[in-house]
Amino acid sequence: MKKLAMALVLLSIIQLCMAQQLHPTTVQEINAKVVVKGSGTVTGSLNGDITLRVLSFQESEEQKLIWLEETLEINGKKITAKKEIDEHGNRYAVFEFREMGDFTYTIEAEVHKAVQPVGLTDYNLSKEISEHGEYLQQTEKIESGNAGIRTLALNKFDSDSWLETVAEVTNWVHNYVEYDMAYYPEVYSATQTLNSKKGTCDEFANLTAAILRAKGIPVRVVAGPVFSAQEWNSHGWIEAFNPNVGWVPIDSTFGEAGMVDATHIETGKFADFGQATDTIRHPSTASVELSGKAVESVEVLSTKLFEGIVLIDADDKTIYANSWQDIDIEVENKQNRYLIVPLSISGIQGFEFEEQDKVLLFQPRERRTVTWKTLVQKDMAKNQYLTGKYNIISIHPIVEAELKVLPASLQAESQYIEVTDLIALVKGNALKIEIVLENKGGIEDAVEITVEIAGGELVRQEETIMGFGKKNIILTIDDFTEETHTVKVVGKSSTYVAEILPQQESQPKVEEKQPEPSPEQPPAETEETPIEQEEMPLTPEMMAIAGVGFVAAIVLAVLLKNFVFT
């Protein structure tokens, strides 16, 4: 690093030593003992059996069960579950009993999950995908035929490349939707999430699935426990079908695609999260009260981090305060195959990032410079500076480097407005165009926005944005025509142009399925009830079992202290 010509006085430097922490994205392999429990009470009178059907742990190429125990206890009797497989290939534990009173069931397993990079190859989406038509259909929460979803999918994500589409949609949803626990435990649909821009894992998954299905890509949803960097919780993610590869996992909540980290433990795969329910069948003369199902404990026995898949070079950096600055790193795909790489830069107090998390597609053996734009708004004297660290989190052990921030007075003021996002939605007879504008300089600036069709200009307006300001502009065009709309944003030094072709409602083709043998019908006097499942956070004792513990919020909290005003 070059020495500055002028002398800078360092008032104080505090170096904080951090114990090695783990982040879920870095975990390639995990061995864990997982215990799930539920309970209930049977009252009334019995003239037949009670059948409880509970989702259990699944097995796949990546997920193996070292051992599995599924038992139900009632009145001192222990009942072992029968195994049942549904039409989606999911394993259920089925308990049959004829007893009154309180019962508790336990599903306990040692799970070994080892993730390997999928041998990704591309597929041209201009050719219709004919397999798995049931996973292209619109469902209650995944409205892929909705006009707004289709207009978004076919305009913003207009590539015919399967790989580009998956990477771009995952990246956009991850950064578009704000994670908000106020939306738990309800499950909101894709269109609701598109409008609210908030949700938890199910909302991220539903919106991602709807966009991909609208692009003609079959998608199924996946349920199971996951480690969220603080505790184990119920989670939802998806898998998308590639005719050249098979089913490919995607988690837009975590910003992962092509493969998801090993803390994702599968309990079921479905066309819609509404199908991910347990059921109980009982005689109509009996009443069953259920307390739900929850993760009781997870004991992490061992973990292994990703290594050798990507190479990340992050050097010490010097940037200036009060203007947008670039932090560049070098990333290399070490595989002889395509790779979708999740990348995140750790935030530090007073730092703003244009896009803190990225999901990027790399070609085989590609090496690329990846840039984060960051802004530090801080007034400092000429003889002062800030010093601290930044971290890069990916499918790689965490990379750490030094960062120094110099006073803004050492760099000239700048001004320019940038379009950071543009989406078009159809709502009834109206076309709504949302444009996100950011002034990347410290001086007030203005742009002119126009929307045109072949018949002439529909909209013309000017927008002024203060220095380092941000504006969301919504343009509404009533009674729009189904033709190309050209949007232009013209500034002093740049012009942004986008073309939008509005879409109408559409229902994907339904794949004709061969008739299945009729299942044995239950007795006429039975009732079948879906069981609502609850999520139980781990107690401190359970977290202690997990050992060193994973990171996110903890790492961020420590990093906030890494930057010291000097």
Side-chain angles (χ1 to χ4, degrees):
M1 183 184 294
K2 295 182 179 178
K3 293 183 178 179
L4 295 176
M6 64 177 292
L8 297 174
V9 180
L10 178 60
L11 300 181
S12 65
I13 300 179
I14 300 176
Q15 296 294 341
L16 297 178
C17 296
M18 238 181 358
Q20 180 65 33
Q21 303 275 6
L22 295 177
H23 188 284
T25 301
T26 68
V27 180
Q28 182 174 13
E29 192 171 328
I30 191 170
N31 231 61
K33 178 183 174 183
V34 187
V35 180
V36 173
K37 283 195 174 184
S39 61
T41 302
V42 182
T43 57
S45 61
L46 286 176
N47 58 7
D49 287 343
I50 293 175
T51 303
L52 175 63
R53 187 170 176 263
V54 181
L55 265 174
S56 187
F57 298 108
Q58 309 302 317
E59 284 200 287
S60 64
E61 290 185 11
E62 293 185 342
Q63 181 169 302
K64 302 298 180 186
L65 302 181
I66 308 303
W67 52 263
L68 172 67
E69 292 182 1
E70 302 162 323
T71 58
L72 182 145
E73 292 188 29
I74 184 168
N75 299 331
K77 299 178 181 178
K78 181 175 282 191
I79 299 165
T80 301
K82 297 178 181 178
K83 175 183 174 182
E84 183 177 302
I85 305 297
D86 72 3
E87 69 273 20
H88 300 286
N90 299 310
R91 176 195 176 100
Y92 284 81
V94 180
F95 303 100
E96 294 180 346
F97 58 99
R98 189 179 294 194
E99 296 278 344
M100 307 290 291
D102 298 332
F103 66 86
T104 300
Y105 63 88
T106 303
I107 299 177
E108 184 176 1
E110 182 180 335
V111 182
H112 179 254
K113 185 78 176 277
V115 176
Q116 296 298 329
V118 177
L120 293 176
T121 56
D122 211 354
Y123 181 82
N124 188 342
L125 292 174
S126 65
K127 296 184 291 183
E128 182 180 344
I129 298 176
S130 58
E131 301 101 316
H132 302 293
E134 68 271 28
Y135 295 111
L136 276 172
Q137 296 179 42
Q138 175 167 287
T139 61
E140 179 187 0
K141 302 296 184 183
I142 303 173
E143 311 102 320
S144 49
N146 173 268
I149 294 290
R150 297 187 70 243
T151 298
L152 171 67
L154 302 179
N155 285 278
K156 188 168 187 64
F157 308 105
D158 58 357
S159 172
D160 283 333
S161 162
W162 190 98
L163 290 174
E164 288 179 4
T165 297
V166 164
E168 290 171 6
V169 171
T170 305
N171 183 72
W172 182 79
V173 172
H174 177 75
N175 288 286
Y176 177 81
V177 180
E178 177 186 348
Y179 194 91
D180 189 341
M181 280 300 294
Y183 285 73
Y184 177 84
E186 298 296 327
V187 178
Y188 294 88
S189 73
T191 56
Q192 290 173 318
T193 305
L194 185 59
N195 292 325
S196 70
K197 305 181 184 180
K198 294 182 179 181
T200 59
C201 57
D202 293 335
E203 286 70 50
F204 281 80
N206 285 336
L207 181 55
T208 307
I211 296 171
L212 293 179
R213 285 184 185 176
K215 287 282 292 181
I217 299 174
V219 175
R220 62 189 182 191
V221 301
V222 189
V226 75
F227 193 78
S228 62
Q230 292 176 285
E231 60 187 10
W232 288 88
N233 285 306
S234 300
H235 191 57
W237 63 101
I238 68 171
E239 290 181 345
F241 183 73
N242 180 322
N244 296 330
V245 178
W247 290 101
V248 178
I250 299 166
D251 187 343
S252 53
T253 310
F254 281 29
E256 299 174 356
M259 57 183 170
V260 295
D261 68 75
T263 73
H264 291 70
I265 297 175
E266 300 169 10
T267 58
K269 301 177 182 181
F270 307 90
D272 189 280
F273 283 119
Q275 300 171 341
T277 57
D278 303 329
T279 57
I280 188 162
R281 182 183 299 162
H282 58 85
S284 58
T285 55
S287 176
V288 181
E289 183 179 342
L290 296 158
S291 64
K293 182 172 71 174
V295 178
E296 182 177 82
S297 66
V298 178
E299 179 183 357
V300 177
L301 305 174
S302 65
T303 59
K304 177 184 175 184
L305 303 187
F306 285 105
E307 286 193 77
I309 295 175
V310 295
L311 176 66
I312 298 176
D313 290 329
D315 298 329
D316 296 346
K317 303 291 182 185
T318 298
I319 62 175
Y320 294 90
N322 299 330
S323 64
W324 282 93
Q325 301 282 296
D326 291 346
I327 297 178
D328 298 328
I329 67 167
E330 292 293 314
V331 181
E332 182 179 346
N333 176 10
K334 302 292 290 183
Q335 308 296 300
N336 292 319
R337 64 191 78 175
Y338 286 95
L339 193 64
I340 300 176
V341 181
L343 290 160
S344 179
I345 189 167
S346 58
I348 304 145
Q349 188 175 23
F351 274 53
E352 179 183 342
F353 290 97
E354 184 179 273
E355 191 177 68
Q356 191 165 344
D357 304 325
K358 300 176 184 288
V359 183
L360 302 176
L361 174 63
F362 280 73
Q363 296 185 20
R365 296 286 175 179
E366 179 186 359
R367 185 179 178 90
R368 185 193 310 175
T369 300
V370 177
T371 301
W372 277 271
K373 289 191 177 295
T374 185
L375 171 66
V376 187
Q377 297 193 59
K378 185 73 174 179
D379 293 329
M380 295 183 286
K382 290 184 178 181
N383 64 342
Q384 295 178 323
Y385 64 88
L386 303 173
T387 184
K389 299 180 185 294
Y390 70 95
N391 287 348
I392 303 296
I393 299 167
S394 184
I395 45 176
H396 183 285
I398 294 174
V399 177
E400 183 180 84
E402 298 284 342
L403 191 58
K404 182 182 286 185
V405 183
L406 302 180
S409 57
L410 301 181
Q411 190 184 48
E413 285 273 20
S414 62
Q415 63 182 118
Y416 64 99
I417 293 177
E418 186 176 290
V419 177
T420 58
D421 199 9
L422 185 149
I423 62 172
L425 305 174
V426 172
K427 295 184 178 181
N429 294 324
L431 171 65
K432 293 185 179 292
I433 302 170
E434 181 174 349
I435 306 171
V436 182
L437 301 174
E438 289 190 36
N439 188 345
K440 299 297 184 181
I443 303 172
E444 183 179 88
D445 201 2
V447 293
E448 184 177 67
I449 303 172
T450 60
V451 180
E452 301 173 350
I453 57 175
E457 188 175 272
L458 300 176
V459 175
R460 176 180 293 272
Q461 67 185 58
E462 185 174 286
E463 295 292 340
T464 301
I465 304 176
M466 62 184 292
F468 300 127
K470 180 177 178 178
K471 263 190 183 181
N472 280 41
I473 311 298
I474 298 180
L475 308 175
T476 301
I477 300 170
D478 295 319
D479 300 321
F480 66 91
T481 55
E482 291 184 49
E483 59 182 303
T484 300
H485 291 60
T486 302
V487 182
K488 293 182 181 179
V489 181
V490 181
K492 293 184 176 67
S493 58
S494 64
T495 298
Y496 175 94
V497 180
E499 291 189 341
I500 297 165
L501 182 60
Q503 303 292 315
Q504 294 294 342
E505 295 279 337
S506 174
Q507 178 63 46
K509 292 183 193 175
V510 178
E511 182 181 75
E512 292 187 9
K513 298 179 67 176
Q514 294 297 320
E516 299 177 358
S518 299
E520 184 179 340
Q521 296 299 314
E525 299 134 79
T526 63
E527 296 180 1
E528 187 169 49
T529 309
I531 300 174
E532 295 196 5
Q533 300 180 42
E534 296 180 356
E535 178 180 297
M536 184 179 73
L538 296 183
T539 64
E541 289 78 9
M542 297 172 195
M543 292 302 294
I545 293 173
V548 248
F550 300 93
V551 147
I554 300 172
V555 167
L556 180 58
V558 175
L559 288 172
L560 293 180
K561 300 178 183 178
N562 273 0
F563 253 73
V564 183
F565 179 61
T566 63

